[in-house]
Amino acid sequence: MIWRFRRCGHAPGALTSEEQAVVDQFRAMLAAVRSPKRWTPGSGQDVAVRVGPFIERAHPRPGDDLGTETIAVAPVHPDTGNAAGHLHGRQLGYTDRGWLRCQTTALLGAWQLAHATLTHAAANLCLPDDVGMAAPATASTSKPAGPTAGYTLLRLGPYAQSWLAPRDSDRLNTELAGRAALAIPGSTVTAKDAAFDVSDHDSYTDPYGADATALLAAALAGVGE
């Protein structure tokens, strides 16, 4: 991205107020890029993320900052927080993307207003379909419905490949058919794939190197004890 500020060489006197505003905005943008503000995980601050030659604003997912290499973020329009920003964001493809896994090496720091001039939105461009971030890790969860609704029987994750979670969910639902009611009277247990919640990672069981149906049988046996 190239910025050019040109004033007629024959223009006399001091800068006009409009010209000074452009110069100040340019200087603020340079300062924001050269001296980024430190972003602290868990602070609730939005982050500035590099997307190709542009810099975008993104919401980090609370609690999804336990790792040192990736975090989960949702790209948002730079003017997020007002109705016009929401409408423009939808037009330019910022909304409905869900959470994405962002490499921490792509983080510039905490989001600053001066970064707004470096976004796709400032250039009136749509955010590309491929922003260089993958979908978040997935998981398979098994929950009963009925009197014990809200209780999670088994959580498997994270899966390195998104197609593995629904595969295991299907296997667990096949296993559950005809036996869930016997294990938890009055309830029906079903499994479904969902986003992996890294903030609650201790409640998950590693799905690799283990038989999902065996883990389910152990969980059902634990309920009956």
Side-chain angles (χ1 to χ4, degrees):
M1 181 177 292
I2 300 175
W3 278 64
R4 292 186 176 93
F5 176 75
R6 179 179 296 175
R7 189 172 188 239
C8 294
H10 55 76
L15 296 175
T16 66
S17 59
E18 292 80 4
E19 291 172 336
Q20 187 62 55
V22 173
V23 172
D24 291 344
Q25 183 184 43
F26 182 70
R27 287 174 174 169
M29 180 272 293
L30 287 179
V33 173
R34 292 174 177 173
S35 303
K37 290 183 179 179
R38 180 181 176 83
W39 176 74
T40 303
S43 64
Q45 293 176 295
D46 283 351
V47 292
V49 183
R50 295 186 185 277
V51 178
F54 296 85
I55 293 175
E56 296 294 339
R57 180 181 180 180
H59 289 325
R61 180 162 61 182
D64 203 357
D65 46 40
L66 298 181
T68 58
E69 297 181 354
T70 63
I71 62 171
V73 300
V76 297
H77 188 274
D79 294 332
T80 291
N82 61 63
H86 177 77
L87 177 61
H88 199 209
R90 182 170 295 278
Q91 294 171 338
L92 296 181
Y94 280 82
T95 58
D96 302 325
R97 286 177 175 264
W99 296 104
L100 301 173
R101 301 298 293 179
C102 175
Q103 297 290 325
T104 53
T105 53
L107 300 182
L108 185 65
W111 172 258
Q112 302 179 57
L113 291 178
H115 290 139
T117 57
L118 299 175
T119 62
H120 284 79
N124 204 31
L125 296 174
C126 290
L127 197 65
D129 292 335
D130 182 6
V131 293
M133 304 178 207
T138 55
S140 176
T141 61
S142 300
K143 293 184 177 183
T148 53
Y151 171 72
T152 300
L153 186 67
L154 178 66
R155 286 181 172 179
L156 300 175
Y159 290 90
Q161 295 179 296
S162 58
W163 65 272
L164 293 174
R167 182 206 63 176
D168 274 0
S169 293
D170 289 343
R171 291 180 59 201
L172 293 176
N173 281 323
T174 299
E175 182 71 15
L176 284 164
R179 62 174 292 181
L182 298 176
I184 307 178
S187 298
T188 301
V189 182
T190 56
K192 65 178 182 178
D193 53 296
F196 176 70
D197 184 1
V198 71
S199 62
D200 196 22
H201 65 100
D202 288 337
S203 68
Y204 288 84
T205 299
D206 186 352
Y208 295 100
D211 184 347
T213 56
L215 293 172
L216 175 65
L220 289 171
V223 172
E225 292 178 353

